[in-house]
Amino acid sequence: MRTETAAALVLEDGRVFRGTAYGAVGQTLGEAVFCTAMTGYQETLTDPSYHRQIVVATAPQIGNTGWNDEDDESAKIWVAGYAVRDPARRASNWRATTTLPEELRRQDIVGIAGIDTRAVVRHLRTRGSMKAGIFSGPALASADELVSRVTGQPSMLGADLADEVSTDAVYTIEPDGDARHTVVAVDLGIKTNTPRMFAQRGMRVHVVPSGASLEQILDLKPDGVFLSNGPGDPATQDGAVALTQGVLGAGLPLFGICFGNQILGRALGRGTYKMKFGHRGINIPVVEHDTGRISITAQNHGFALEGEQGERFDTPFGKAEVSHVCANDGTVEGVRLLDGRAFSVQYHPEAAAGPHDAAYLFDRFAGLMEGA
């Protein structure tokens, strides 16, 4: 019978949750956040937007479907750590090639199980997302020592992380069938399913590094430019903002999601701020201002744009408006230029784990390029 290894989740305000090691044994530091998704833990763990974050799963049982070779959203697990309540005793799915804890160990991801995740989430909702650490085995020490390690790490506020998750070189995803359009996707932390969604609609996608120049993008002769999701503080992305302004100045159609929404917003003169505990899950309702349409969406962001539903404002590129808001709290969930050549949303219309309510936005972008 396997002996369980003691572990602790430690928050910067001194709160400690005791459990057992899950995945690798050791120490990890990051920002503690919670995800309300009931499914799709593999997509969550491999989403680059979770870089440097310790994810607390609100779903009580995790690991039932194991781990497979098809559902990764990138080449590796990006979360800093994983906290669950009731780990599944066995994986039961015909696509599974291994179990979740085995994959966590293989990729050296430190986790914790057996804690009251309801209490953790209530604490984070009250106090806000905060610095944290998971410690197990030899990494355990006195509570004071562990809190000191936690508080000594850098804050997510001011963190410049996009370059750490971006591709090093340009690569191309060919369309399914004949190519109708060419899209340049700026990789700020892009997920695997995004180029796939473009390809399904006849778009050839050139994925470029986050530091690509406007000249490099124009050399690829795109019909449109896409700004991807990604981690960190959008206030650090002056280069991406300047690039976006150059794309807008060149008159190219532009579409952004998540981090890309914040970059477009900043390029249009809006400010950003760090949210108390962010939106992370696949069950978050968003209202489109013009139509009143409500989409249930996948989200993962701890920063947001300033603004209110339907607000219109002047930009160097013409008038713009706040096009979408979250039905739960009024957070800005989208902006657009009124002439239609650029739009973005804060949520993930490419959501591989679902829901798929917002997939029509890829068709909207295709229509925008056809009109251009």
Side-chain angles (χ1 to χ4, degrees):
M1 187 172 179
R2 184 170 177 173
T3 303
E4 293 182 329
T5 302
L9 169 66
V10 180
L11 304 181
E12 68 174 296
D13 64 358
R15 189 73 185 270
V16 179
F17 297 87
R18 302 282 179 179
T20 57
Y22 187 60
V25 172
Q27 170 180 309
T28 189
L29 301 172
E31 180 187 46
V33 301
F34 60 88
C35 177
T36 60
M38 294 294 290
T39 62
Y41 57 79
Q42 183 167 338
E43 290 89 342
T44 294
L45 295 174
T46 55
D47 179 353
S49 297
Y50 279 112
H51 179 39
R52 246 182 64 184
Q53 291 180 320
I54 294 173
V55 177
V56 180
T58 64
Q61 190 170 74
I62 296 292
N64 308 61
T65 56
W67 193 273
N68 63 63
D69 296 330
E70 302 172 23
D71 291 343
D72 288 357
E73 286 292 348
S74 67
K76 58 177 280 188
I77 294 176
W78 281 103
V79 303
Y82 201 33
V84 305
R85 179 176 182 176
D86 182 17
R89 297 180 184 179
R90 66 180 66 180
S92 179
N93 187 276
W94 65 274
R95 294 194 304 148
T97 55
T98 186
T99 67
L100 173 57
E102 286 171 349
E103 188 64 22
L104 292 173
R105 285 192 290 270
R106 189 183 75 84
Q107 297 198 39
D108 199 28
I109 305 299
V110 176
I112 185 171
I115 62 173
D116 186 348
T117 51
R118 296 171 302 177
V120 180
V121 171
R122 286 177 66 89
H123 191 75
L124 295 177
R125 279 182 58 87
T126 302
R127 302 291 183 88
S129 299
M130 63 182 74
K131 297 176 182 178
I134 298 176
F135 308 90
S136 56
L140 285 169
S142 68
D144 289 344
E145 167 61 23
L146 297 181
V147 171
S148 177
R149 295 181 202 173
V150 166
T151 56
Q153 67 180 296
S155 171
M156 190 60 71
L157 188 66
D160 182 358
L161 303 179
D163 288 347
E164 297 180 13
V165 302
S166 182
T167 181
D168 294 327
V170 179
Y171 64 91
T172 301
I173 305 296
E174 293 295 335
D176 299 343
D178 296 334
R180 297 168 52 203
H181 303 291
T182 297
V183 173
V184 170
V186 182
D187 180 6
L188 304 165
I190 200 166
K191 293 163 67 176
T192 301
N193 202 44
T194 304
R196 187 183 301 138
M197 296 286 278
F198 284 127
Q200 289 171 356
R201 290 160 174 81
M203 303 181 205
R204 175 177 291 113
V205 185
H206 300 298
V207 183
V208 302
S210 60
S213 67
L214 179 61
E215 291 72 23
Q216 289 171 314
I217 288 176
L218 295 179
D219 284 346
L220 294 169
K221 299 183 174 10
D223 299 308
V225 174
F226 172 75
L227 302 175
S228 82
N229 57 290
D233 186 343
T236 66
Q237 296 300 309
D238 291 342
V241 169
L243 174 65
T244 301
Q245 291 171 333
V247 169
L248 295 175
L252 287 169
L254 185 140
F255 174 31
I257 65 170
C258 198
F259 204 56
N261 176 64
Q262 296 160 12
I263 299 303
L264 175 59
R266 287 196 60 218
L268 298 177
R270 309 301 287 184
T272 56
Y273 64 95
K274 193 174 189 304
M275 302 170 71
K276 184 175 181 179
F277 49 78
H279 296 162
R280 297 174 180 87
I282 60 174
N283 50 7
I284 299 170
V286 169
V287 182
E288 184 173 35
H289 177 65
D290 279 356
T291 64
R293 177 176 185 165
I294 297 176
S295 297
I296 304 302
T297 68
Q299 299 196 18
N300 172 19
H301 65 106
F303 292 83
L305 286 172
E306 296 173 343
E308 297 179 357
Q309 180 175 2
E311 178 186 353
R312 294 194 172 184
F313 53 97
D314 294 322
T315 81
F317 310 99
K319 284 192 174 295
E321 75 170 354
V322 174
S323 57
H324 298 72
V325 296
C326 179
N328 289 338
D329 59 12
T331 299
V332 174
E333 295 280 359
V335 293
R336 71 180 186 99
L337 287 175
L338 292 186
D339 65 12
R341 61 194 164 102
F343 70 98
S344 60
V345 294
Q346 187 61 62
Y347 47 94
H348 289 255
E350 86 297 340
H356 302 137
D357 295 25
Y360 71 93
L361 291 171
F362 289 94
D363 299 310
R364 180 177 292 182
F365 186 44
L368 181 58
M369 289 187 288
E370 287 169 4

